[in-house]
Amino acid sequence: MKTEIKNVVAPMVITILILLVLEVLATALLPVFGLKNFILPFNILVILFFGFRFQTAYLALFILMIQYFHSFFTVEGWEPGTIAGILVCILISYLRDLIHFSSAAATMIVTQIFQTFWFCVISGLIYIRMGDVSFVISKFWRFIPESIILSFLSPILFIVLEKVWSMSTGGLLGDEA
């Protein structure tokens, strides 16, 4: 099926707006509750949704756009997240036939597994850049509660994003999972 740009632009704009709202809420509300070191990276959930939902050549561009807008809220930058997102989506494409979202619990478990893979890729990139494992270890202790919270939120966000991306007629990209 031929992809039309009009079928991608509106859902992507809405997805980016949802991401921006979630990022603003996370960066504004968590410090209010005394959680200055914790960041909920909703970009990971959006990219995991794309990986689970689409098999398209545009997936790398989707990941790049999400990471670009996420980089407004972090010092991490868009590069490591884009690399990690593409690697995670490649892994998802290989395991696509084994992944089934039969319940919210299954969604949470699968999301947790891929977040852990994401963390390993990002940690490897940080270690290569810095040559010091101490930052990776401190990041690991923050990753555990952040990833668990994101796993609990994943079924809700996936339902919202599914509604956003199913707005277009005739199958958005012609290759739904």
Side-chain angles (χ1 to χ4, degrees), residues 71-103:
S71 70
F72 296 162
F73 299 93
T74 183
V75 295
E76 180 181 276
W78 57 268
E79 309 92 353
T82 302
I83 293 168
I86 290 171
L87 291 176
V88 166
C89 287
I90 289 171
L91 182 62
I92 289 171
S93 71
Y94 285 123
L95 301 175
R96 184 174 305 279
D97 294 334
L98 301 174
I99 299 171
H100 298 287
F101 297 109
S102 56
S103 67

Side-chain angles (χ1 to χ4, degrees), residues 45-67:
L45 290 183
V46 173
I47 291 171
L48 287 177
F49 171 78
F50 287 158
F52 297 142
R53 176 87 157 65
F54 302 120
Q55 283 183 319
T56 180
Y58 298 120
L59 190 56
L61 292 174
F62 291 175
I63 293 168
L64 177 64
M65 288 194 306
I66 294 301
Q67 283 304 118

Side-chain angles (χ1 to χ4, degrees), residues 78-130:
W78 57 268
E79 309 92 353
T82 302
I83 293 168
I86 290 171
L87 291 176
V88 166
C89 287
I90 289 171
L91 182 62
I92 289 171
S93 71
Y94 285 123
L95 301 175
R96 184 174 305 279
D97 294 334
L98 301 174
I99 299 171
H100 298 287
F101 297 109
S102 56
S103 67
T107 303
M108 289 183 232
I109 291 169
V110 169
T111 302
Q112 184 64 41
I113 291 168
F114 285 107
Q115 283 184 85
T116 304
F117 180 69
W118 182 293
F119 175 78
C120 292
V121 171
I122 291 291
S123 296
L125 292 172
I126 290 172
Y127 179 72
I128 289 170
R129 179 181 278 171
M130 296 177 64

Side-chain angles (χ1 to χ4, degrees), residues 160-171:
V160 170
L161 291 175
E162 185 65 39
K163 293 200 184 296
V164 167
W165 282 90
S166 64
M167 290 184 319
S168 67
T169 59

